[in-house]
Amino acid sequence: EVQLVQSGGDLVQPGGSLRLSCAASGFTFSINSMSWVRQAPGKGLEWVSYIDSTSSNIYYADSVEGRFTISRDNAKNSLYLQMSGLRAEDTAVYYCASVSYRVSDYWGQGTLVTVSS
Amino acid sequence: DIQMTQSPSSVSASVGDRVTITCRASQDISTWLAWYQQKPGKAPKLLITAASSLKSGVPSRFSGSGSGTDFTLTISSLQPEDFATYHCQQSSSFPQFTFGGGTKVEFK
């Protein structure tokens, strides 16, 4: 069974930093591309970042470019999102998702990031 | 950037009703469109890829159609477990996905 188990969400002050983690099992993580998607309270889904299987191709949404860093450790079957310079508008549930044939086929359970003083 | 517009933003329906949701792209995306179902407090679940291909295990009452800029998701006979929010997603500009605003299917 494919599982993506997320951790790391928290309450953080504006300007602060946080690292999200996503632990994968039940599939060959090392050959799958991955992405992060977020959902602000009561809002729609917003794509945040993408990383291919070898970390050779990485992309970010304009809204997080320069502040967020996606990475992965294939030996640990894990995906990460390092977030810095956090703003109130970054408050959201963050989901990790595997990417296959241009769709997000499996999703983590989500982790809440709240940016507030 | 490709913008995705879903309509309606919400729809009230009863069990057994036929429900149609539309998604419009700001430019031609061929059939690079997926549909997801999301229940409250849960992660989205993939339903349809390539505009009309049902993911394995998804009930056949769900169907998708369209190409270019206009797409539809149809639920032929709404079931109690189908009350949820539905999102479209374009992947023409992969890997920079764009989602529609979502359509909430509510109980009438």
Side-chain angles (χ1 to χ4, degrees):
Chain A
E1 179 195 4
V2 172
Q3 281 200 310
L4 295 170
V5 179
Q6 297 182 230
S7 60
D10 206 347
L11 170 64
V12 61
Q13 293 191 337
S17 299
L18 202 61
R19 186 172 95 148
L20 306 183
S21 299
C22 173
S25 62
F27 66 107
T28 309
F29 177 78
S30 61
I31 64 172
N32 265 68
S33 299
M34 300 291 293
S35 67
W36 288 96
V37 175
R38 69 184 180 183
Q39 187 170 36
K43 302 295 184 183
L45 300 168
E46 179 189 15
W47 170 78
V48 171
S49 185
Y50 166 92
I51 186 169
D52 71 5
S53 60
T54 60
S55 305
S56 300
N57 293 289
I58 288 174
Y59 298 87
Y60 298 98
D62 290 345
S63 57
V64 307
E65 179 86 57
R67 300 186 298 121
F68 289 12
T69 302
I70 191 171
S71 63
R72 63 190 295 160
D73 185 336
N74 286 344
K76 294 183 178 179
N77 287 344
S78 292
L79 174 73
Y80 306 100
L81 184 67
Q82 178 68 48
M83 305 184 293
S84 61
L86 283 162
R87 307 166 180 166
E89 55 264 36
D90 295 318
T91 294
V93 174
Y94 285 73
Y95 296 100
C96 63
S98 60
V99 178
S100 180
Y101 297 104
R102 297 195 178 200
V103 295
S104 302
D105 52 356
Y106 294 101
W107 297 64
Q109 83 277 16
T111 191
L112 177 61
V113 174
T114 303
V115 183
S116 175
S117 54
Chain B
D1 291 5
I2 300 174
Q3 308 300 318
M4 304 301 293
T5 304
Q6 273 184 250
S7 60
S9 56
S10 67
V11 56
S12 297
S14 300
V15 173
D17 284 353
R18 181 182 183 89
V19 173
T20 299
I21 297 166
T22 65
C23 184
R24 175 164 289 174
S26 61
Q27 64 190 69
D28 189 340
I29 60 169
S30 184
T31 57
W32 293 111
L33 187 100
W35 289 97
Y36 298 84
Q37 177 193 66
Q38 185 180 28
K39 295 185 178 178
K42 300 294 186 182
K45 182 177 126 178
L46 179 64
L47 297 177
I48 288 172
T49 65
S52 60
S53 296
L54 211 61
K55 183 181 174 183
S56 175
V58 174
S60 58
R61 63 182 178 272
F62 290 93
S63 64
S65 65
S67 66
T69 60
D70 293 313
F71 302 87
T72 61
L73 171 70
T74 299
I75 309 171
S76 60
S77 178
L78 197 66
Q79 298 302 299
E81 61 268 31
D82 301 336
F83 290 95
T85 298
Y86 294 85
H87 306 272
C88 63
Q89 176 208 51
Q90 69 82 18
S91 56
S92 174
S93 59
F94 177 83
Q96 288 144 319
F97 304 119
T98 314
F99 293 90
T103 296
K104 186 174 183 180
V105 177
E106 300 176 297
F107 182 72
K108 184 185 284 184

